[in-house]
Amino acid sequence: MGGFLGYRCSRCNVEYGPHEVTYICPDDGGNLDVVLEYERIRNASSPAEVSASSDYSIWRYLPLLPVQDPGHEGTPLRAVGWTPLFKSDRIASRLGLHDLWLKDDGRNPTASFKDRASAVVLARARSINAEVVVTASTGNAGAALAGMAAAAEMPAVILAPKNAPEAKVAQLLIFGAQVFLVEGSYDDAFDLTLEAAESFGWYCRNTGFNPFTAEGKKTAAFEICEQLSLVDERSHAPSWQVPDALFIPVGDGNIISGIHKGFKDLQTLGWIEQMPRIFGVQSVGSAAIYNAYKNDTEAIEPVRANTLADSISVDFPRDGLRALRAAKETGGAFVAVRDEAILEAMRILAREAGVFAEPAGATAYAGLVEAISNKLVGASDQVVVLITGNGLKDVRAAMQAAGEAIVIDPTLESLRRALS
Ligand SMILES: *Cc1c(COP(=O)(O)O)cnc(C)c1O
Ligand SMILES: [Zn+2]
Protein backbone atom coordinates (compact mmCIF):
# COMPACT_ATOMS: atom_id res chain seq x y z
CA MET A 1 0.00 0.00 0.00
CA GLY A 2 1.46 3.30 -1.19
CA GLY A 3 1.17 5.54 1.86
CA PHE A 4 -2.32 7.02 1.40
CA LEU A 5 -2.03 10.63 2.58
CA GLY A 6 -5.45 11.97 1.59
CA TYR A 7 -6.98 13.92 -1.27
CA ARG A 8 -6.46 17.06 -3.34
CA CYS A 9 -9.34 18.80 -5.10
CA SER A 10 -8.80 19.06 -8.86
CA ARG A 11 -10.69 22.37 -8.90
CA CYS A 12 -9.53 24.39 -5.87
CA ASN A 13 -6.39 22.39 -4.93
CA VAL A 14 -7.44 22.21 -1.28
CA GLU A 15 -6.10 19.09 0.43
CA TYR A 16 -8.10 16.81 2.72
CA GLY A 17 -7.02 14.12 5.15
CA PRO A 18 -8.04 10.49 4.54
CA HIS A 19 -11.02 10.75 6.91
CA GLU A 20 -12.14 14.31 6.16
CA VAL A 21 -14.03 13.56 2.96
CA THR A 22 -15.35 10.49 1.14
CA TYR A 23 -16.24 11.43 -2.42
CA ILE A 24 -15.96 14.93 -3.93
CA CYS A 25 -14.78 18.34 -2.72
CA PRO A 26 -17.34 19.63 -0.22
CA ASP A 27 -16.68 23.22 -1.37
CA ASP A 28 -17.00 23.08 -5.12
CA GLY A 29 -17.92 19.49 -6.04
CA GLY A 30 -14.54 19.00 -7.77
CA ASN A 31 -13.17 15.50 -8.29
CA LEU A 32 -10.56 14.51 -5.73
CA ASP A 33 -7.12 13.18 -6.64
CA VAL A 34 -5.71 10.67 -4.20
CA VAL A 35 -2.43 11.93 -2.70
CA LEU A 36 0.27 9.35 -2.09
CA GLU A 37 3.46 9.42 -0.09
CA TYR A 38 5.81 9.18 -3.04
CA GLU A 39 8.99 9.26 -0.99
CA ARG A 40 7.86 6.19 0.87
CA ILE A 41 6.91 4.34 -2.34
CA ARG A 42 10.29 5.19 -3.84
CA ASN A 43 12.06 3.73 -0.83
CA ALA A 44 9.89 0.64 -0.65
CA SER A 45 9.69 -0.35 -4.31
CA SER A 46 11.17 0.02 -7.81
CA PRO A 47 10.30 -0.85 -11.42
CA ALA A 48 12.64 -3.82 -11.27
CA GLU A 49 11.02 -5.07 -8.09
CA VAL A 50 7.51 -4.76 -9.52
CA SER A 51 8.65 -6.42 -12.74
CA ALA A 52 9.92 -9.37 -10.69
CA SER A 53 6.43 -9.99 -9.27
CA SER A 54 4.70 -13.22 -10.25
CA ASP A 55 1.29 -11.66 -9.60
CA TYR A 56 0.00 -10.99 -13.12
CA SER A 57 -2.86 -8.66 -12.18
CA ILE A 58 -3.37 -5.08 -11.00
CA TRP A 59 -2.31 -6.24 -7.53
CA ARG A 60 1.34 -6.39 -8.65
CA TYR A 61 1.12 -2.57 -8.30
CA LEU A 62 -0.08 -2.67 -4.70
CA PRO A 63 2.89 -0.52 -3.55
CA LEU A 64 1.45 2.29 -5.73
CA LEU A 65 -2.18 1.88 -4.68
CA PRO A 66 -3.97 3.59 -1.75
CA VAL A 67 -5.54 0.34 -0.54
CA GLN A 68 -4.49 -2.74 1.31
CA ASP A 69 -4.31 -6.21 -0.19
CA PRO A 70 -7.98 -7.26 -0.52
CA GLY A 71 -7.30 -10.97 -0.06
CA HIS A 72 -9.54 -13.44 -1.91
CA GLU A 73 -6.60 -15.18 -3.55
CA GLY A 74 -7.57 -17.46 -6.38
CA THR A 75 -10.79 -15.57 -7.21
CA PRO A 76 -11.62 -13.32 -10.20
CA LEU A 77 -10.87 -10.33 -7.97
CA ARG A 78 -7.22 -11.36 -8.30
CA ALA A 79 -7.46 -11.74 -12.09
CA VAL A 80 -8.18 -8.10 -12.92
CA GLY A 81 -5.70 -6.39 -15.22
CA TRP A 82 -2.45 -7.49 -16.88
CA THR A 83 -4.50 -7.61 -20.07
CA PRO A 84 -2.68 -8.35 -23.31
CA LEU A 85 -0.86 -5.67 -25.28
CA PHE A 86 -1.08 -6.83 -28.89
CA LYS A 87 1.21 -5.53 -31.64
CA SER A 88 -0.65 -5.05 -34.89
CA ASP A 89 1.67 -4.65 -37.87
CA ARG A 90 -1.21 -5.19 -40.25
CA ILE A 91 -3.25 -2.28 -38.91
CA ALA A 92 -0.09 -0.20 -38.51
CA SER A 93 0.72 -0.52 -42.20
CA ARG A 94 -2.90 0.26 -43.14
CA LEU A 95 -2.51 3.53 -41.21
CA GLY A 96 1.05 4.31 -42.29
CA LEU A 97 2.43 3.82 -38.77
CA HIS A 98 5.47 1.79 -37.74
CA ASP A 99 4.54 0.85 -34.25
CA LEU A 100 0.96 0.21 -33.15
CA TRP A 101 -0.23 -1.60 -30.03
CA LEU A 102 -3.71 -2.60 -28.87
CA LYS A 103 -4.30 -2.91 -25.14
CA ASP A 104 -7.23 -5.31 -24.91
CA ASP A 105 -9.12 -4.62 -21.70
CA GLY A 106 -12.07 -6.62 -22.94
CA ARG A 107 -10.06 -9.50 -21.50
CA ASN A 108 -10.84 -8.64 -17.89
CA PRO A 109 -12.98 -10.96 -15.69
CA THR A 110 -16.26 -9.22 -16.58
CA ALA A 111 -14.99 -8.24 -20.04
CA SER A 112 -14.42 -4.52 -19.56
CA PHE A 113 -11.90 -1.99 -18.27
CA LYS A 114 -14.28 -1.21 -15.38
CA ASP A 115 -13.05 -4.22 -13.40
CA ARG A 116 -9.94 -2.22 -12.52
CA ALA A 117 -12.01 0.43 -10.77
CA SER A 118 -14.47 -1.92 -9.13
CA ALA A 119 -11.70 -4.11 -7.70
CA VAL A 120 -9.93 -1.17 -6.05
CA VAL A 121 -13.19 0.36 -4.80
CA LEU A 122 -14.07 -2.99 -3.20
CA ALA A 123 -10.66 -3.09 -1.51
CA ARG A 124 -11.40 0.38 -0.16
CA ALA A 125 -14.93 -0.64 0.88
CA ARG A 126 -13.50 -3.49 2.92
CA SER A 127 -11.02 -1.26 4.72
CA ILE A 128 -13.69 1.27 5.75
CA ASN A 129 -16.02 -1.59 6.77
CA ALA A 130 -18.70 -0.73 4.23
CA GLU A 131 -21.51 -3.28 4.21
CA VAL A 132 -23.08 -2.58 0.82
CA VAL A 133 -21.63 -1.00 -2.33
CA VAL A 134 -23.89 0.77 -4.81
CA THR A 135 -23.27 2.15 -8.29
CA ALA A 136 -25.04 3.78 -11.19
CA SER A 137 -23.97 2.28 -14.46
CA THR A 138 -24.68 2.19 -18.18
CA GLY A 139 -23.82 -1.49 -17.82
CA ASN A 140 -20.12 -2.15 -17.58
CA ALA A 141 -19.40 -0.44 -14.26
CA GLY A 142 -22.33 -2.30 -12.78
CA ALA A 143 -21.31 -5.65 -14.24
CA ALA A 144 -17.79 -5.08 -12.95
CA LEU A 145 -19.02 -4.20 -9.48
CA ALA A 146 -21.46 -7.12 -9.45
CA GLY A 147 -18.80 -9.58 -10.59
CA MET A 148 -16.07 -8.34 -8.29
CA ALA A 149 -18.55 -8.13 -5.39
CA ALA A 150 -19.51 -11.77 -5.97
CA ALA A 151 -15.82 -12.70 -5.82
CA ALA A 152 -15.24 -10.56 -2.73
CA GLU A 153 -18.44 -11.67 -0.98
CA MET A 154 -19.80 -8.14 -0.70
CA PRO A 155 -23.46 -7.21 -1.36
CA ALA A 156 -23.90 -4.82 -4.30
CA VAL A 157 -26.77 -2.70 -5.60
CA ILE A 158 -26.80 -1.55 -9.24
CA LEU A 159 -28.96 1.14 -10.82
CA ALA A 160 -28.87 1.15 -14.62
CA PRO A 161 -30.92 2.99 -17.23
CA LYS A 162 -33.72 0.86 -18.65
CA ASN A 163 -32.26 0.98 -22.17
CA ALA A 164 -28.95 -0.71 -21.24
CA PRO A 165 -28.01 -3.48 -23.74
CA GLU A 166 -29.53 -6.84 -22.85
CA ALA A 167 -26.23 -8.69 -22.42
CA LYS A 168 -25.08 -6.13 -19.88
CA VAL A 169 -28.31 -6.40 -17.89
CA ALA A 170 -27.96 -10.19 -17.93
CA GLN A 171 -24.45 -9.77 -16.57
CA LEU A 172 -25.68 -7.54 -13.75
CA LEU A 173 -28.30 -10.09 -12.77
CA ILE A 174 -26.29 -13.29 -13.03
CA PHE A 175 -23.74 -12.15 -10.44
CA GLY A 176 -26.50 -11.83 -7.85
CA ALA A 177 -26.40 -8.08 -7.31
CA GLN A 178 -29.65 -6.28 -6.55
CA VAL A 179 -30.45 -4.69 -9.89
CA PHE A 180 -32.87 -1.87 -10.56
CA LEU A 181 -33.56 -0.55 -14.06
CA VAL A 182 -34.38 3.13 -13.83
CA GLU A 183 -36.99 4.68 -16.14
CA GLY A 184 -34.67 7.41 -17.30
CA SER A 185 -31.11 8.11 -18.38
CA TYR A 186 -27.77 7.16 -16.85
CA ASP A 187 -27.69 10.63 -15.34
CA ASP A 188 -31.03 9.99 -13.62
CA ALA A 189 -29.66 6.71 -12.23
CA PHE A 190 -26.52 8.53 -11.09
CA ASP A 191 -28.46 11.10 -9.07
CA LEU A 192 -30.61 8.40 -7.51
CA THR A 193 -27.59 6.42 -6.27
CA LEU A 194 -26.26 9.49 -4.46
CA GLU A 195 -29.55 9.86 -2.62
CA ALA A 196 -29.73 6.14 -1.89
CA ALA A 197 -26.13 5.97 -0.63
CA GLU A 198 -26.82 8.89 1.69
CA SER A 199 -30.15 7.52 2.96
CA PHE A 200 -29.11 3.88 3.41
CA GLY A 201 -25.45 4.31 4.38
CA TRP A 202 -24.17 2.45 1.30
CA TYR A 203 -20.69 3.04 -0.10
CA CYS A 204 -21.02 4.61 -3.56
CA ARG A 205 -18.73 3.51 -6.40
CA ASN A 206 -20.04 6.04 -8.93
CA THR A 207 -17.65 6.98 -11.71
CA GLY A 208 -16.34 10.52 -11.48
CA PHE A 209 -17.50 10.68 -7.86
CA ASN A 210 -15.61 8.05 -5.87
CA PRO A 211 -11.88 8.96 -5.92
CA PHE A 212 -10.80 5.31 -5.83
CA THR A 213 -12.11 4.44 -9.29
CA ALA A 214 -9.35 6.51 -10.90
CA GLU A 215 -6.80 4.79 -8.66
CA GLY A 216 -7.91 1.46 -10.09
CA LYS A 217 -7.94 2.77 -13.64
CA LYS A 218 -4.42 4.19 -13.37
CA THR A 219 -3.07 0.62 -13.32
CA ALA A 220 -3.55 0.51 -17.11
CA ALA A 221 -0.86 3.19 -17.42
CA PHE A 222 1.48 1.08 -15.31
CA GLU A 223 0.82 -1.98 -17.45
CA ILE A 224 1.34 -0.16 -20.73
CA CYS A 225 4.76 1.10 -19.58
CA GLU A 226 5.82 -2.18 -18.04
CA GLN A 227 4.57 -4.33 -20.93
CA LEU A 228 6.18 -2.09 -23.56
CA SER A 229 9.47 -2.38 -21.71
CA LEU A 230 9.14 -6.18 -21.85
CA VAL A 231 8.26 -6.53 -25.52
CA ASP A 232 9.62 -3.51 -27.33
CA GLU A 233 13.16 -3.84 -28.63
CA ARG A 234 13.58 -0.05 -28.46
CA SER A 235 13.20 -0.07 -24.70
CA HIS A 236 16.09 0.35 -22.32
CA ALA A 237 15.22 -2.07 -19.53
CA PRO A 238 15.03 -1.99 -16.55
CA SER A 239 13.29 1.40 -16.79
CA TRP A 240 9.71 1.39 -18.05
CA GLN A 241 8.80 2.60 -21.52
CA VAL A 242 6.30 5.30 -22.43
CA PRO A 243 4.51 5.31 -25.81
CA ASP A 244 4.42 8.54 -27.84
CA ALA A 245 0.65 8.64 -28.12
CA LEU A 246 -2.19 6.92 -26.29
CA PHE A 247 -5.82 6.81 -27.47
CA ILE A 248 -8.63 6.42 -24.93
CA PRO A 249 -12.43 6.40 -25.39
CA VAL A 250 -14.16 8.99 -23.22
CA GLY A 251 -17.64 9.24 -21.72
CA ASP A 252 -17.55 10.54 -18.15
CA GLY A 253 -13.81 11.05 -18.49
CA ASN A 254 -12.74 8.88 -15.57
CA ILE A 255 -10.69 6.33 -17.53
CA ILE A 256 -8.60 9.03 -19.20
CA SER A 257 -8.23 10.89 -15.88
CA GLY A 258 -7.20 7.73 -14.06
CA ILE A 259 -4.67 6.77 -16.72
CA HIS A 260 -3.25 10.30 -16.68
CA LYS A 261 -2.88 9.99 -12.91
CA GLY A 262 -1.03 6.72 -13.41
CA PHE A 263 1.53 8.33 -15.69
CA LYS A 264 1.88 11.27 -13.30
CA ASP A 265 2.51 8.86 -10.42
CA LEU A 266 5.26 7.15 -12.43
CA GLN A 267 6.82 10.45 -13.42
CA THR A 268 6.77 11.76 -9.84
CA LEU A 269 8.42 8.54 -8.72
CA GLY A 270 11.04 8.92 -11.45
CA TRP A 271 10.05 5.55 -12.91
CA ILE A 272 9.45 7.06 -16.37
CA GLU A 273 11.14 9.97 -18.08
CA GLN A 274 8.39 11.59 -20.14
CA MET A 275 4.63 11.56 -20.54
CA PRO A 276 2.76 10.16 -23.53
CA ARG A 277 0.51 12.48 -25.54
CA ILE A 278 -2.94 11.46 -24.34
CA PHE A 279 -5.84 11.60 -26.81
CA GLY A 280 -9.46 11.46 -25.64
CA VAL A 281 -11.96 10.15 -28.17
CA GLN A 282 -15.67 10.87 -27.97
CA SER A 283 -18.61 10.11 -30.22
CA VAL A 284 -19.88 13.22 -32.02
CA GLY A 285 -23.24 12.27 -30.50
CA SER A 286 -21.82 12.54 -26.97
CA ALA A 287 -19.08 15.12 -27.20
CA ALA A 288 -19.37 17.42 -24.18
CA ILE A 289 -15.66 17.27 -23.35
CA TYR A 290 -14.58 17.46 -26.98
CA ASN A 291 -16.72 20.61 -27.36
CA ALA A 292 -15.00 22.26 -24.39
CA TYR A 293 -11.59 21.28 -25.79
CA LYS A 294 -12.43 22.75 -29.17
CA ASN A 295 -13.74 25.98 -27.61
CA ASP A 296 -10.67 26.16 -25.37
CA THR A 297 -12.69 26.43 -22.19
CA GLU A 298 -12.84 24.45 -18.96
CA ALA A 299 -16.57 25.11 -18.73
CA ILE A 300 -18.14 21.84 -19.88
CA GLU A 301 -21.69 22.20 -21.18
CA PRO A 302 -24.01 19.17 -21.00
CA VAL A 303 -25.25 17.66 -24.26
CA ARG A 304 -28.16 15.39 -25.20
CA ALA A 305 -26.17 12.26 -25.79
CA ASN A 306 -27.15 10.08 -28.71
CA THR A 307 -24.70 7.40 -29.87
CA LEU A 308 -24.72 3.66 -30.42
CA ALA A 309 -21.64 3.47 -28.18
CA ASP A 310 -23.73 3.20 -25.00
CA SER A 311 -20.74 3.03 -22.64
CA ILE A 312 -19.67 6.54 -23.64
CA SER A 313 -23.16 7.98 -24.02
CA VAL A 314 -23.12 10.67 -21.35
CA ASP A 315 -25.06 13.94 -21.12
CA PHE A 316 -23.01 15.44 -18.34
CA PRO A 317 -19.47 14.09 -17.88
CA ARG A 318 -18.69 13.56 -14.21
CA ASP A 319 -14.93 13.81 -14.63
CA GLY A 320 -14.74 16.27 -17.50
CA LEU A 321 -12.27 18.76 -16.09
CA ARG A 322 -9.56 16.22 -15.32
CA ALA A 323 -10.23 14.52 -18.68
CA LEU A 324 -9.72 17.80 -20.51
CA ARG A 325 -6.48 18.41 -18.66
CA ALA A 326 -5.19 14.91 -19.39
CA ALA A 327 -5.13 15.82 -23.07
CA LYS A 328 -4.04 19.44 -22.68
CA GLU A 329 -1.23 18.92 -20.18
CA THR A 330 0.34 16.12 -22.18
CA GLY A 331 0.18 17.77 -25.61
CA GLY A 332 -2.53 15.38 -26.77
CA ALA A 333 -5.99 16.38 -27.96
CA PHE A 334 -9.66 15.48 -28.00
CA VAL A 335 -11.18 14.15 -31.19
CA ALA A 336 -14.76 13.20 -32.03
CA VAL A 337 -15.87 10.40 -34.34
CA ARG A 338 -19.17 9.43 -35.99
CA ASP A 339 -21.03 6.24 -35.15
CA GLU A 340 -20.28 4.92 -38.68
CA ALA A 341 -16.57 5.31 -37.94
CA ILE A 342 -17.06 3.38 -34.69
CA LEU A 343 -18.76 0.52 -36.57
CA GLU A 344 -15.91 0.55 -39.09
CA ALA A 345 -13.41 0.45 -36.21
CA MET A 346 -15.18 -2.65 -34.84
CA ARG A 347 -14.79 -4.37 -38.23
CA ILE A 348 -11.13 -3.42 -38.68
CA LEU A 349 -10.09 -4.43 -35.15
CA ALA A 350 -11.85 -7.76 -35.49
CA ARG A 351 -10.81 -8.59 -39.06
CA GLU A 352 -7.27 -7.31 -39.04
CA ALA A 353 -6.21 -7.86 -35.44
CA GLY A 354 -8.61 -10.50 -34.10
CA VAL A 355 -9.90 -8.21 -31.36
CA PHE A 356 -13.68 -8.07 -30.86
CA ALA A 357 -14.69 -4.81 -29.20
CA GLU A 358 -18.02 -3.30 -28.21
CA PRO A 359 -18.72 0.08 -29.84
CA ALA A 360 -17.21 2.21 -27.03
CA GLY A 361 -14.36 -0.28 -26.87
CA ALA A 362 -13.51 0.35 -30.52
CA THR A 363 -13.94 4.12 -30.37
CA ALA A 364 -10.31 4.92 -29.55
CA TYR A 365 -9.27 3.25 -32.79
CA ALA A 366 -11.70 5.42 -34.76
CA GLY A 367 -10.12 8.38 -32.95
CA LEU A 368 -6.65 7.32 -34.05
CA VAL A 369 -7.82 7.26 -37.69
CA GLU A 370 -9.26 10.76 -37.23
CA ALA A 371 -6.09 12.04 -35.50
CA ILE A 372 -3.90 10.72 -38.31
CA SER A 373 -6.00 12.49 -40.92
CA ASN A 374 -5.69 15.69 -38.83
CA LYS A 375 -1.90 15.16 -38.65
CA LEU A 376 -1.97 14.91 -34.86
CA VAL A 377 -0.07 11.62 -35.08
CA GLY A 378 2.77 10.81 -37.45
CA ALA A 379 4.46 7.74 -38.89
CA SER A 380 7.28 7.73 -36.35
CA ASP A 381 4.99 7.78 -33.30
CA GLN A 382 4.68 4.71 -31.16
CA VAL A 383 0.93 4.46 -30.57
CA VAL A 384 -1.15 2.52 -28.06
CA VAL A 385 -4.92 2.20 -28.55
CA LEU A 386 -6.98 1.22 -25.53
CA ILE A 387 -9.78 -1.26 -26.22
CA THR A 388 -12.09 -0.96 -23.23
CA GLY A 389 -14.84 -3.55 -23.63
CA ASN A 390 -15.55 -6.88 -25.33
CA GLY A 391 -17.84 -7.14 -28.35
CA LEU A 392 -20.11 -9.77 -26.80
CA LYS A 393 -21.33 -7.03 -24.46
CA ASP A 394 -23.48 -5.63 -27.26
CA VAL A 395 -24.37 -8.25 -29.83
CA ARG A 396 -26.87 -6.06 -31.62
CA ALA A 397 -24.21 -3.44 -32.39
CA ALA A 398 -21.86 -6.19 -33.53
CA MET A 399 -24.49 -7.44 -35.98
CA GLN A 400 -24.92 -3.89 -37.21
CA ALA A 401 -21.17 -3.71 -37.86
CA ALA A 402 -20.83 -7.19 -39.33
CA GLY A 403 -23.91 -7.44 -41.55
CA GLU A 404 -26.12 -10.46 -42.21
CA ALA A 405 -25.00 -14.04 -42.77
CA ILE A 406 -26.00 -15.75 -46.05
CA VAL A 407 -28.56 -18.54 -45.62
CA ILE A 408 -28.08 -21.61 -47.81
CA ASP A 409 -29.60 -25.05 -48.37
CA PRO A 410 -27.53 -27.90 -46.88
CA THR A 411 -26.10 -28.83 -50.31
CA LEU A 412 -22.70 -28.32 -51.93
CA GLU A 413 -24.45 -26.78 -54.94
CA SER A 414 -26.09 -24.18 -52.76
CA LEU A 415 -22.78 -23.45 -51.03
CA ARG A 416 -21.02 -23.15 -54.40
CA ARG A 417 -23.62 -20.68 -55.63
CA ALA A 418 -23.34 -18.65 -52.47
CA LEU A 419 -19.52 -18.59 -52.70
CA SER A 420 -19.62 -17.07 -56.17
C1 LIG B 1 -16.99 3.28 -19.11
C2 LIG B 1 -16.47 2.95 -20.44
C3 LIG B 1 -15.81 3.89 -21.23
C4 LIG B 1 -15.65 5.34 -20.85
O1 LIG B 1 -15.08 5.59 -19.60
P1 LIG B 1 -15.33 6.98 -18.88
O2 LIG B 1 -14.64 6.90 -17.61
O3 LIG B 1 -16.83 7.10 -18.73
O4 LIG B 1 -14.83 8.05 -19.78
C5 LIG B 1 -15.32 3.48 -22.45
N1 LIG B 1 -15.47 2.22 -22.88
C6 LIG B 1 -16.11 1.28 -22.16
C7 LIG B 1 -16.27 -0.09 -22.72
C8 LIG B 1 -16.63 1.62 -20.91
O5 LIG B 1 -17.29 0.69 -20.21
ZN1 LIG C 1 -12.48 22.01 -4.33
Side-chain angles (χ1 to χ4, degrees):
M1 164 162 165
F4 173 39
L5 289 180
Y7 310 92
R8 184 183 302 112
C9 175
S10 59
R11 241 173 237 288
C12 66
N13 285 320
V14 167
E15 296 200 5
Y16 298 95
H19 305 293
E20 279 184 280
V21 288
T22 312
Y23 301 116
I24 52 178
C25 177
D27 274 347
D28 55 19
N31 291 108
L32 299 177
D33 288 318
V34 166
V35 180
L36 301 174
E37 205 177 337
Y38 292 104
E39 193 56 42
R40 187 169 133 186
I41 300 171
R42 219 178 275 126
N43 292 334
S45 188
S46 69
E49 214 163 294
V50 171
S51 292
S53 169
S54 58
D55 184 339
Y56 294 103
S57 74
I58 61 169
W59 305 111
R60 70 199 275 103
Y61 304 108
L62 208 52
L64 290 82
L65 295 177
V67 292
Q68 261 145 23
D69 190 314
H72 295 88
E73 296 291 342
T75 73
L77 185 68
R78 309 300 302 208
V80 177
W82 202 257
T83 55
L85 185 67
F86 297 124
K87 189 169 204 298
S88 181
D89 290 336
R90 189 167 168 201
I91 295 182
S93 74
R94 152 189 276 275
L95 297 176
L97 299 174
H98 294 303
D99 207 3
L100 177 68
W101 302 82
L102 307 172
K103 175 79 170 155
D104 186 9
D105 254 62
R107 299 264 296 250
N108 272 300
T110 76
S112 90
F113 188 97
K114 299 290 197 296
D115 285 344
R116 297 179 186 273
S118 291
V120 169
V121 167
L122 280 171
R124 174 65 179 168
R126 188 149 303 273
S127 69
I128 60 171
N129 297 315
E131 280 167 10
V132 175
V133 182
V134 63
T135 197
S137 170
T138 61
N140 286 341
L145 181 63
M148 294 300 104
E153 301 170 64
M154 169 84 77
V157 179
I158 318 290
L159 276 69
K162 216 177 131 202
N163 65 2
E166 211 176 22
K168 295 186 180 180
V169 176
Q171 239 190 332
L172 299 179
L173 292 164
I174 200 72
F175 288 123
Q178 274 198 284
V179 177
F180 302 100
L181 297 182
V182 177
E183 301 260 19
S185 65
Y186 167 62
D187 300 83
D188 295 325
F190 192 103
D191 292 339
L192 183 54
T193 50
L194 304 196
E195 280 185 70
E198 169 94 32
S199 300
F200 306 133
W202 297 340
Y203 186 50
C204 183
R205 177 220 175 276
N206 279 12
T207 296
F209 184 68
N210 186 315
F212 286 84
T213 60
E215 291 296 301
K217 289 170 176 182
K218 76 181 185 182
T219 56
F222 303 163
E223 287 175 24
I224 288 168
C225 294
E226 189 181 353
Q227 289 174 325
L228 275 179
S229 78
L230 292 175
V231 293
D232 182 11
E233 58 279 6
R234 290 194 335 197
S235 98
H236 308 285
S239 85
W240 288 355
Q241 166 141 347
V242 179
D244 297 307
L246 173 59
F247 284 78
I248 302 172
V250 175
D252 272 315
N254 192 242
I255 292 181
I256 192 170
S257 301
I259 289 179
H260 186 212
K261 170 70 157 46
F263 284 108
K264 286 189 288 188
D265 279 356
L266 295 181
Q267 198 176 39
T268 306
L269 288 167
W271 291 17
I272 58 172
E273 269 143 38
Q274 83 276 1
M275 298 288 279
R277 283 159 24 233
I278 298 178
F279 292 83
V281 186
Q282 297 208 279
S283 161
V284 291
S286 173
I289 304 174
Y290 166 78
N291 293 340
Y293 176 83
K294 214 180 45 180
N295 296 327
D296 199 20
T297 172
E298 287 198 333
I300 294 165
E301 297 294 330
V303 296
R304 284 193 150 221
N306 179 22
T307 168
L308 95 148
D310 63 292
S311 299
I312 52 170
S313 183
V314 173
D315 293 351
F316 177 66
R318 305 287 169 163
D319 208 345
L321 180 59
R322 292 193 300 185
L324 205 51
R325 290 177 181 169
K328 284 194 173 173
E329 287 176 10
T330 62
F334 264 82
V335 294
V337 296
R338 306 201 160 277
D339 281 1
E340 300 84 74
I342 294 174
L343 290 171
E344 173 69 0
M346 289 172 69
R347 285 188 290 269
I348 299 290
L349 289 170
R351 290 169 189 187
E352 302 202 359
V355 173
F356 183 20
E358 67 165 278
T363 296
Y365 176 76
L368 169 61
V369 174
E370 176 74 14
I372 289 172
S373 72
N374 295 340
K375 306 242 179 325
L376 296 169
V377 169
S380 63
D381 282 322
Q382 181 176 60
V383 179
V384 174
V385 173
L386 182 66
I387 313 295
T388 46
N390 187 277
L392 290 174
K393 292 271 195 176
D394 188 350
V395 171
R396 200 180 312 168
M399 294 301 286
Q400 208 177 323
E404 297 287 316
I406 300 168
V407 178
I408 58 166
D409 291 328
T411 63
L412 190 60
E413 182 45 36
S414 177
L415 176 58
R416 187 173 282 130
R417 232 181 301 122
L419 280 169
S420 66

